[in-house]
């Protein structure tokens, strides 16, 4: 696998740094119950994650079921946001290797950022709950800008915030959404093999390498 010499590394959150499906699924089930809809399993919700909360809610309401109206979707999103504020961080855990690797990256003088499609309001509280927030220099959520991944704008915005060029950045994610965002941004990208990727095998995605643990990132940094 090739090596990289970044000054900044941007990480996706759900499915890359943390396994958040238990909390997302619980909030989704509470939302569905409130709306009088059939429930969903953790496994189903895992395939709905990746393109932000509105898309996840729409999938929870409609996949294998009837399409939902814009009004119904808005009700679902509002209910999910309310319930997720309560469940966020309760059952989410950092993946093995994350807590060990982040401080070692900081010791090397690297700037670190989170670029996720999760709503910005939920990012810092979740990482603070896990004791990881202090390692990061910026948090960019799916609603921070007018556009979200796979549009390149969030990564470009991250580069501006951290004062690095695109050539000096690296993206680490878990999905084709992350890979496409990085490709469009002109930034190399590595994908974790254990993430969600909307139910698609991650080894089929266009990326610069695969990692089975975040600790595997360290030997790749020149």
């Amino acid at each position: 696998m090739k090596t990289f010499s970044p000054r900044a590394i941007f990480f996706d959150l759900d499915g890359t740094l943390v396994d958040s499906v238990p909390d997302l699924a619980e909030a989704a089930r509470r939302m569905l119950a409130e709306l009088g809809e059939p429930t969903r399993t953790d496994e189903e919700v895992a395939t709905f994650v990746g393109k932000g909360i509105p898309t996840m809610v729409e999938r929870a309401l409609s996949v294998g079921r009837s399409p939902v109206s814009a009004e119904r979707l808005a009700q679902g999103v509002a209910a999910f946001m309310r319930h997720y504020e309560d469940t966020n961080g309760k059952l989410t855990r950092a993946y093995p290797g994350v807590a060990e690797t982040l401080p070692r990256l900081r010791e090397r003088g690297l700037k670190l950022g989170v670029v996720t499609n999760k709503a910005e309001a939920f990012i810092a509280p979740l990482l603070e709950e896990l004791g990881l927030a202090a390692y990061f220099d910026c948090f960019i959520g799916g609603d921070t800008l007018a556009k979200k991944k796979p549009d390149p704008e969030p990564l470009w915005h991250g580069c501006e915030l951290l004062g690095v060029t695109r050539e000096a950045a690296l993206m680490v994610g878990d999905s084709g959404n992350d890979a496409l965002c990085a490709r469009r941004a002109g930034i190399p990208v590595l994908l974790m093999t254990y993430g969600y990727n909307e139910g698609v095998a991650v080894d089929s995605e266009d990326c610069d390498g695969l990692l089975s643990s975040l600790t595997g990132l360290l030997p790749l940094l020149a």
Side-chain angles (χ1 to χ4, degrees), residues 3-4 17 40 45 50 54-55 72 81 94 97 140 164 174 186 188-189 191 194 201 221:
T3 58
F4 307 87
L17 296 175
R40 293 287 193 179
V45 173
T55 297
R72 187 68 163 170
M81 295 283 281
I140 299 171
V164 300
D174 72 310
V189 57
L191 297 180
Y194 52 61
L221 300 178

Side-chain angles (χ1 to χ4, degrees), residues 46-99:
T47 68
F48 302 156
V49 176
K51 289 189 167 65
I53 286 173
T55 297
M56 193 197 71
V57 170
E58 181 178 16
R59 289 170 172 173
L61 288 168
S62 66
V63 169
R65 303 172 183 176
S66 301
V68 293
S69 66
E71 181 182 4
R72 187 68 163 170
L73 176 58
Q75 291 175 338
V77 169
F80 178 87
M81 295 283 281
R82 189 171 64 253
H83 291 302
Y84 190 50
E85 187 173 355
D86 181 55
T87 66
N88 186 30
K90 295 292 195 302
L91 298 174
T92 293
R93 296 292 179 266
Y95 284 109
V98 170

